[in-house]
Amino acid sequence: MFQNPKYFHRSTRFRASVAAVVMVALGACNDRDPLAPDAQPTSGAELGSAPEIATTPAIGPEFSTRFAGGIAMGTFSLPTSWFGSRYNGVSRTISPSYVLSELSSIRSRGGKIILNMAGSPNYYTDAAGNFSLTKWKQRVDRFRGVNLGSYISDGTIIGHYLIDEPNDPTNWNGRQVSASTVDEMARYSKQLWSGMPTIVRTEPGYFSSSPRYVDAAWAQYLYRRGNVSDYIRKQVSDAQHRGLALVVGLNVLKGGNPNGSQMSGTEVKSWGSTLLSSSYPCAFISWNYSSSYLNQNSIEDAMSYLRNKAQSRSTKSCRS
């Protein structure tokens, strides 16, 4: 059972002094980025529940020696073969049968992953499209028999991706998933893996107060959000006041100027650099992997520049 006292005293968690940061994202109706888990390729087939074993003990991150330092930088759905000098971070869905082999490969390449265990919302909504906490827990339960301990303790697993945009009612049959429900999801995760940070892809302002079990929110920038410096200042301030860590990134495929366009190399470099000028974010993961987009020379140059900035940062956990 989870017994870490820090989650009963969220008000003591945040540090008052931090450089302005972070980016943006997710939130309004019709703003939805199509990056829900079903838009991401999974690694391996979706299989049934695994047998239950003892839960992972709470262990502090010991960051993998293969990791080059700084904070993880990459995209959603990035194939493991892309890990190397330019990318070392990903958010992805992997089935229980393949997760250990995939984690081993990611670790060997100096990478880190935000792991989505529940997969597509199709698996945890009812026929009408309402969110089902019971079904979500059943999806997560498939990983009970998988020993993730070493990957949690060395930081290969950045955190558990709980849910995408609970704030957007258009995703859930016209009703938001409540902040209290999301915190219950995080509590359930910590009951199983107390040392693994819990991450929600929604801006920190979604929470009206400090959640007890959620560790990190997510801010993803796109041009429509306005001035990037102003935006990240607000996002990091909101995160700090709620005692949350913050993942940041860019919507490179649909967040450029004009609205809805792909970001240019200049935009990726400029906006990403502004986000990374803050010491607050714990990871920089952008939406979404596209080989044709990422293989453009201007994008390769911009991403390499951002990787250098991310690597120059102090390594930190996404645990709040």
Side-chain angles (χ1 to χ4, degrees):
M1 296 293 291
F2 171 69
Q3 298 176 344
N4 191 331
K6 75 178 290 185
Y7 292 94
F8 295 90
H9 302 284
R10 294 292 289 213
S11 62
T12 64
R13 296 186 314 182
F14 88 78
R15 301 174 183 173
S17 157
V18 185
V21 146
V22 151
M23 35 191 74
V24 35
L26 324 145
C29 299
N30 303 322
D31 276 3
R32 172 159 167 73
D33 305 328
L35 60 61
D38 55 341
Q40 306 170 38
T42 58
S43 299
E46 295 290 349
L47 303 176
S49 299
E52 183 172 349
I53 61 170
T55 59
T56 303
I59 308 172
E62 298 173 2
F63 301 105
S64 172
T65 56
R66 292 184 181 273
F67 184 68
I71 62 173
M73 181 269 187
T75 74
F76 277 79
S77 308
L78 189 77
T80 302
S81 60
W82 279 56
F83 282 86
S85 61
R86 184 173 293 124
Y87 302 105
N88 64 350
V90 68
S91 177
R92 206 160 80 206
T93 302
I94 307 175
S95 72
S97 294
Y98 292 84
V99 68
L100 291 181
S101 61
E102 198 68 13
L103 288 173
S104 178
S105 295
I106 290 171
R107 174 198 271 166
S108 71
R109 291 173 175 266
K112 294 180 182 290
I113 181 173
I114 297 175
L115 182 61
N116 184 336
M117 298 186 190
S120 167
N122 295 336
Y123 292 109
Y124 47 89
T125 51
D126 62 22
N130 299 301
F131 173 79
S132 169
L133 180 60
T134 298
K135 289 185 175 182
W136 181 88
K137 289 180 178 179
Q138 290 171 348
R139 292 289 293 175
V140 172
D141 282 347
R142 299 174 307 144
F143 289 82
R144 282 178 176 261
V146 183
N147 186 358
L148 302 175
S150 68
Y151 298 102
I152 295 170
S153 64
D154 74 2
T156 299
I157 297 178
I158 296 171
H160 181 184
Y161 186 111
L162 300 175
I163 190 171
D164 183 66
E165 294 188 324
N167 57 294
D168 188 348
T170 64
N171 299 336
W172 314 104
N173 194 31
R175 294 185 298 178
Q176 286 188 345
V177 180
S178 69
S180 60
T181 297
V182 172
D183 208 33
E184 167 57 21
M185 296 162 73
R187 185 204 66 80
Y188 191 77
S189 176
K190 289 190 175 293
Q191 178 179 299
L192 302 176
W193 305 282
S194 59
M196 181 161 54
T198 51
I199 301 173
V200 181
R201 201 185 87 95
T202 189
E203 294 175 357
Y206 160 77
F207 297 97
S208 60
S209 59
S210 298
R212 179 174 289 182
Y213 300 103
V214 173
D215 283 295
W218 200 306
Q220 183 171 277
Y221 183 76
L222 59 166
Y223 173 73
R224 169 164 44 169
R225 301 301 186 191
N227 181 276
V228 62
S229 297
D230 293 341
Y231 193 87
I232 62 171
R233 276 195 290 270
K234 173 174 171 49
Q235 297 305 311
V236 74
S237 176
D238 285 350
Q240 288 177 315
H241 282 89
R242 290 159 178 79
L244 292 167
L246 191 64
V247 178
V248 299
L250 299 169
N251 183 336
V252 296
L253 296 186
K254 293 192 174 183
N257 180 18
N259 287 330
S261 64
Q262 292 183 347
M263 290 184 181
S264 67
T266 299
E267 290 171 338
V268 170
K269 182 176 181 179
S270 174
W271 296 340
S273 180
T274 301
L275 297 173
L276 287 169
S277 67
S278 167
S279 63
Y280 197 75
C282 59
F284 185 100
I285 307 294
S286 297
W287 184 80
N288 188 23
Y289 168 76
S290 164
S291 60
S292 60
Y293 175 80
L294 295 176
N295 278 325
Q296 297 177 63
N297 290 337
S298 64
I299 302 303
E300 287 182 340
D301 291 344
M303 291 296 188
S304 292
Y305 178 82
L306 295 183
R307 168 63 186 272
N308 288 335
K309 288 188 70 71
Q311 190 169 321
S312 69
R313 294 274 312 283
S314 297
T315 301
K316 64 190 300 186
S317 168
C318 285
R319 188 159 185 165
S320 58

